[in-house]
Amino acid sequence: MRKVLLFPLLMMLSQPMQAQETKTVYMTVWRGCEEACQGFQDYIAMNKLPVEVVLRDAGRDRSKLNHFLLEAKQLKPDLVVTWGTSVSKALIGTREEYGAETKLGDIPVLFMIVADPVGAGIVNSTETSGRPTVTGIRNRIEEEVQIRAMREYLPVNKIGLVYSPAELNSALNTEKIQSLEDKMDFTTVIETYQLGADGQPLPNQFEEKMRRLAEQEVDVVYVGSSSYNLSNREQFTAAALKYRLPVASAYDSMVTESKALISVSNKYYRVGQLAANQAEKVLFDNAIPGELDIAELESYSITINMGVAKQMALYPPIQLLRFAELVNVESK
């Protein structure tokens, strides 16, 4: 009896293990393969997952997105990954337009780097998408947390906001900040960029906007969600510094690569790795996207630009120094 039972097992062990089938991920990004895109691909490489990534870059050109949608539907990849609100809305579609369905039909899709997926109409709630083929990653730190962190550093009674009305994320973020005014006892001062015929902000407006915010005596200029401000971070923060306005941001790179004072953020690289982990569940664990939680990182990072702190004579308190990452620290 024992020989009979062992024989099939020995036969199985003597046969070579079948390699996992290679899966195809169609990834569409908005402004090149930045940190989140790199984190996603590095996770795949480090874990030796049999995944081929077909990468498409819109280069901030919305006119390319419909072509990418058509290409994805034609290729029928195992998973579509979208980066940013514009890309995600173009490839997934909103709940108002498609209900529980998507523009991609039955192709599974995972979004990342979407500032407000609920406000943008992509998902039902911050916990679940409400759409069987859709999952995603939450990377935003709530504005209430942002403001509390600012107040650990300096008095915040009046917050300045500068954004392009052409950016949906910025408009939604501004509404969110304003909704907290009564609860957290502050006021907002809003400046919007003048747009040209192409719908984009006209150049050389930063100094004028910062001057107007300074005249209204804002305590801090906050950048919560703005691709335009992020792309022009050097000019934006230099203009703020000229008028001695501290900049707080949800973008770490505004501190590390320009002259914002403080950021409270999730590192995009780690967001990309978390997105790849979510993708692995869909591709290899047969998880149904809509049954997965909208994942988020368990902690966030505070970064302080000590060069800017010194220039503005705004040195961080001890409680922040204990756990913040300090950049641009003058060596002795």
Side-chain angles (χ1 to χ4, degrees), residues 18 27 45 65 71 73 76 125 129 177 195 197 214 232 254:
Q18 287 189 342
M27 178 184 287
L65 297 177
E71 184 181 41
K73 292 174 74 172
K76 295 188 181 298
S125 73
S129 71
I177 290 287
L195 305 181
N232 295 277
M254 291 197 77

Side-chain angles (χ1 to χ4, degrees), residues 270-327:
R270 292 180 60 208
V271 172
Q273 291 199 310
L274 181 62
N277 177 264
Q278 192 90 326
E280 182 180 10
K281 296 173 185 176
V282 174
L283 294 171
F284 300 107
D285 297 341
N286 297 317
I288 297 173
E291 294 181 0
L292 293 172
D293 293 337
I294 303 299
E296 61 181 319
L297 294 169
E298 295 181 355
S299 61
Y300 56 83
S301 302
I302 294 179
T303 309
I304 297 172
N305 189 320
M306 291 301 292
V308 174
K310 181 179 180 180
Q311 191 171 345
M312 300 190 73
L314 286 172
Y315 296 101
I318 294 296
Q319 64 265 28
L320 276 182
L321 287 175
R322 286 176 181 155
F323 54 86
E325 176 184 350
L326 307 181
V327 299

Side-chain angles (χ1 to χ4, degrees), residues 24 50 68-69 72 81 91 105-106 157 173 191 209 255 293-294 309 325:
T24 302
F68 294 153
L69 170 63
V81 175
L91 270 69
D106 59 357
N157 299 307
N173 188 248
E191 292 288 333
K209 299 305 179 185
V255 172
D293 293 337
I294 303 299
E325 176 184 350

Side-chain angles (χ1 to χ4, degrees), residues 44-179:
I44 290 170
M46 287 185 295
N47 289 279
K48 298 180 179 179
L49 299 177
V51 173
E52 177 189 356
V53 177
V54 177
L55 183 64
R56 296 290 182 264
D57 177 20
R60 298 188 176 91
D61 183 353
R62 283 185 173 83
S63 67
K64 294 180 180 180
L65 297 177
N66 190 56
H67 169 74
F68 294 153
L69 170 63
L70 295 175
E71 184 181 41
K73 292 174 74 172
Q74 200 169 45
L75 289 177
K76 295 188 181 298
D78 298 289
L79 179 68
V80 168
V81 175
T82 61
W83 188 107
T85 302
S86 296
V87 173
S88 298
K89 290 185 72 174
L91 270 69
I92 300 172
T94 64
R95 286 175 52 80
E96 183 179 0
E97 296 172 302
Y98 291 88
E101 305 299 322
T102 76
K103 291 184 178 184
L104 289 161
D106 59 357
I107 301 172
V109 58
L110 183 156
F111 64 84
M112 63 176 175
I113 316 297
V114 176
D116 185 359
V118 178
I122 296 170
V123 299
N124 184 48
S125 73
T126 55
E127 289 77 33
T128 179
S129 71
R131 309 172 85 170
T133 60
V134 178
T135 188
I137 304 299
R138 289 184 64 201
N139 66 288
R140 294 281 304 154
I141 307 298
E142 293 295 334
E143 271 56 44
E144 187 168 345
V145 175
Q146 297 276 357
I147 295 167
R148 293 191 191 284
M150 292 182 222
R151 283 179 165 168
E152 288 290 322
Y153 200 133
L154 70 164
V156 176
N157 299 307
K158 191 178 287 189
I159 299 175
L161 303 169
V162 188
Y163 73 96
S164 165
E167 289 190 79
L168 174 61
N169 276 348
S170 296
L172 292 172
N173 188 248
T174 299
E175 291 175 7
K176 179 63 176 178
I177 290 287
Q178 289 179 304
S179 74

